[in-house]
Amino acid sequence: LRDVRGGLTQRLVVASAVLAVVVAAAFAVLLSSVSQLRDLQEQARQSGDVLVGANHLEKLVVDLEAGQRGYIITGQDEFLQPWQAARDAIPGQIRQLEGLVANNAAQSAAVRQIGQTITAYLDDYSIPLVNTARTNPPAARTAEATAEGKTRLDALHGEFDRFVATETAKSEERQASATNADRQAEAAATFGLAGSIVLVLAFAAYLTLAIARPVRRAAVMAGRIAGGDLAVRLPERGPGEVGVLQRSFNTMASSMQQSRDELAASRARIVAAGDQARRHIERDLHDGIQQRLVSLVLDLRAIEAEVPDGSVGQVAEGLAAALDELRELSRGIHPAILSEGGLVPALKALARRSAVPVELDLDVSSRPPEPVEVAAYYVVSEALANAAKHAEATVVGVTVHSDSERLTLRVHDDGVGGATPTPGSGLIGLEDRVEALGGTLTITSPPGEGTVLAVDLPLAAR
Ligand SMILES: Nc1ncnc2c1ncn2[C@@H]1O[C@H](COP(=O)(O)OP(=O)(O)OP(=O)(O)O)[C@@H](O)[C@H]1O
Ligand SMILES: [Mg+2]
């Protein structure tokens, strides 16, 4: 696995990391917005408590003033009860309010100021006034009628108003940032979701393009190789390991193709060498022993006239018969007529000598290359011999057709069928011969339905 830099594993890790970062970032923003919202909600609740507390304290002051005034005007003790109750409740209420604004320095100072103003009102005005009313009601009524109480109370109400206004403003500010945090959370959720979907889709598309499609192609290619088409190749553009797989696949297909070509070539050489040897033997028989026997027959015919008892004539006839047999034998070894006249006359000669009647249909425009002619000749020769030996056929049809690219040949008999190539026999030899030339031989021979030999031979050597 060389050069798998930027391999699939690495790419998958990077893509997963990007996805994780996007989702994590979106979640982080979302979580921080949610916690911000929770804080703001808590602060809003607190603000509400502060306003209620301030309101309550102000009401206590109003109660105080009303009770004090009622007592001074009527002199009845029952008015002192609310006055006393307000007096008792005020310190606790101030402490509570202080506790509520403890984390805000400005508001704390404001509460302290309010507390001081109330204490001053009580100590310097309200309590002395009530005491005076107990002993000298008219004097108290005169004092009450002055503007002092009203001035003090107005100042106090002013302090309350400012305090409440500040708290309300703060609350509104918080409301605004709550709306903002809300929007932020919404945006983070939307972005996170959309981003994740886009990334996942992109990832799926990438996986389909980078892995699923090349694998599907490789499977198709493997199928074609299994079917014998070794010329197919894959594009080598796949990423990482897929690219390595594609290159290995192509290398494998190339070496298979090369091996097959070499095998075919060596088969062709073996067949050609055999043919060559047979041609030589035939030549030697023809030019050597056959010529000498011919001249011996001629010599004997010359002597025959001088020896009248006929014995020499008998020898001459015997010799002529032996010569015929020798001719027949050398034709079987290699048909001279094939080399000299070509396929058409050679096949006609075969048909003439066949034991089963033959119907020829020859359509061969120009002479095919010699190895193709020789192969076609031996196919017909073996098929005719088989038809005579095994088929019990009444007729054999031979069809040959050739154009500029291929020669097709069909021999069919109407015999018993059931032909199967057995090792070392004629049909296997034909297969070797035909396939050595890159051709195909198909035998169809169902029992009882005759036998068809179909051959397809390319004219150009591969
Ligand atoms: N045309 C045919 N009709 C019926 N049976 C056939 C035919 N051709 C071949 N066969 C059967 O198939 C077998 C194999 O044939 P093949 O030509 O390979 O061998 P063979 O003819 O027996 O031997 P060889 O060809 O070497 O002389 C034969 O033995 C025969 O039983
Ligand atoms: Mg045979």
Side-chain angles (χ1 to χ4, degrees):
L1 286 181
R2 77 207 138 78
D3 66 7
V4 214
R5 243 174 301 125
L8 280 178
T9 317
Q10 202 177 324
R11 288 174 196 217
L12 294 188
V13 167
V14 169
S16 309
V18 169
L19 188 60
V21 165
V22 167
V23 171
F27 262 92
V29 173
L30 197 60
L31 282 181
S32 113
S33 304
V34 165
S35 102
Q36 207 180 332
L37 271 177
R38 205 185 303 120
D39 286 353
L40 288 168
Q41 204 178 15
E42 172 62 27
Q43 284 169 6
R45 202 178 50 76
Q46 211 178 339
S47 241
D49 289 351
V50 168
L51 290 176
V52 168
N55 202 315
H56 191 58
L57 185 59
E58 196 171 7
K59 192 176 156 290
L60 285 177
V61 171
V62 170
D63 287 353
L64 189 84
E65 197 269 343
Q68 155 205 310
R69 179 142 31 97
Y71 179 65
I72 290 168
I73 293 170
T74 64
Q76 285 174 4
D77 277 354
E78 69 193 61
F79 283 100
L80 276 185
Q81 273 167 17
W83 179 80
Q84 188 60 46
R87 236 187 99 181
D88 292 346
I90 280 171
Q93 189 60 36
I94 289 175
R95 271 200 303 281
Q96 196 197 337
L97 198 55
E98 273 176 345
L100 284 172
V101 296
N103 54 5
N104 184 325
Q107 290 292 77
S108 287
V111 170
R112 264 198 309 282
Q113 179 58 51
I114 289 174
Q116 278 166 16
T117 311
I118 292 175
T119 310
Y121 178 78
L122 269 172
D123 292 350
D124 302 345
Y125 179 75
S126 187
I127 295 173
L129 193 62
V130 168
N131 284 342
T132 309
R134 281 208 182 95
T135 52
N136 186 356
R141 275 196 288 275
T142 313
E144 214 269 350
T146 64
E148 187 189 349
K150 187 173 159 17
T151 311
R152 281 177 183 272
L153 276 181
D154 283 352
L156 189 56
H157 285 307
E159 279 172 22
F160 269 114
D161 286 350
R162 278 194 296 283
F163 179 81
V164 167
T166 308
E167 194 64 37
T168 309
K170 224 168 66 182
S171 174
E172 275 165 6
E173 207 176 287
R174 282 191 197 123
Q175 192 54 50
S177 36
T179 313
N180 211 15
D182 226 24
R183 272 202 214 104
Q184 214 173 27
E186 210 175 82
T190 311
F191 174 77
L193 190 67
S196 310
I197 290 174
V198 166
L199 278 178
V200 166
L201 287 181
F203 203 38
Y206 175 73
L207 285 183
T208 307
L209 284 181
I211 300 177
R213 213 169 56 168
V215 167
R216 210 181 313 125
R217 265 198 185 165
V220 170
M221 174 184 167
R224 285 175 64 183
I225 286 181
D229 181 3
L230 299 184
V232 287
R233 295 289 180 273
L234 287 176
E236 298 182 355
R237 297 185 302 267
E241 290 86 339
V242 172
V244 174
L245 184 71
Q246 290 168 333
R247 285 190 287 280
S248 308
F249 226 118
N250 287 347
T251 311
M252 183 187 77
S254 297
S255 71
M256 277 170 73
Q257 195 180 21
Q258 204 182 341
S259 307
R260 190 188 60 182
D261 291 352
E262 280 165 7
L263 182 67
S266 77
R267 270 170 128 184
R269 279 198 301 277
I270 290 168
V271 170
D275 289 347
Q276 183 78 14
R278 293 163 82 124
R279 212 167 20 241
H280 273 141
I281 294 170
E282 190 271 339
R283 273 285 101 205
D284 289 351
L285 287 176
H286 181 270
D287 298 346
I289 203 165
Q290 232 169 283
Q291 297 312 318
R292 287 186 60 187
L293 287 179
V294 168
S295 56
L296 278 179
V297 171
L298 291 179
D299 289 350
L300 280 177
R301 294 286 179 218
I303 296 168
E304 195 182 2
E306 291 155 26
V307 183
D309 69 352
S311 58
V312 173
Q314 264 179 343
V315 174
E317 267 160 38
L319 202 55
L323 189 57
D324 281 347
E325 249 173 68
L326 188 63
R327 276 205 191 98
E328 194 63 28
L329 182 71
S330 70
R331 212 177 6 236
I333 290 170
H334 182 85
I337 188 172
L338 186 59
S339 319
E340 285 148 20
L343 188 57
V344 172
L347 291 184
K348 283 181 179 160
L350 268 185
R352 265 198 309 278
R353 290 205 308 276
S354 169
V356 185
V358 176
E359 288 172 0
L360 279 179
D361 177 5
L362 306 179
D363 171 23
V364 182
S365 44
S366 60
R367 279 191 69 170
E370 201 198 343
V372 174
E373 279 195 324
V374 174
Y377 177 84
Y378 280 117
V379 168
V380 175
S381 165
E382 174 62 25
L384 291 180
N386 278 354
K389 271 200 290 185
H390 313 293
E392 300 163 29
T394 61
V395 67
V396 183
V398 175
T399 316
V400 183
H401 174 83
S402 87
D403 55 28
S404 59
E405 303 209 327
R406 51 206 328 108
L407 181 143
T408 51
L409 168 65
R410 215 176 103 96
V411 184
H412 59 104
D413 66 49
D414 60 351
V416 295
T420 32
T422 44
S425 64
L427 289 178
I428 290 282
L430 292 187
E431 259 174 19
D432 286 348
R433 202 177 253 289
V434 168
E435 283 168 15
L437 297 174
T440 55
L441 171 94
T442 323
I443 302 165
T444 318
S445 186
E449 288 180 39
T451 301
V452 178
L453 275 189
V455 170
D456 182 81
L457 282 163
L459 295 195
R462 262 190 327 184

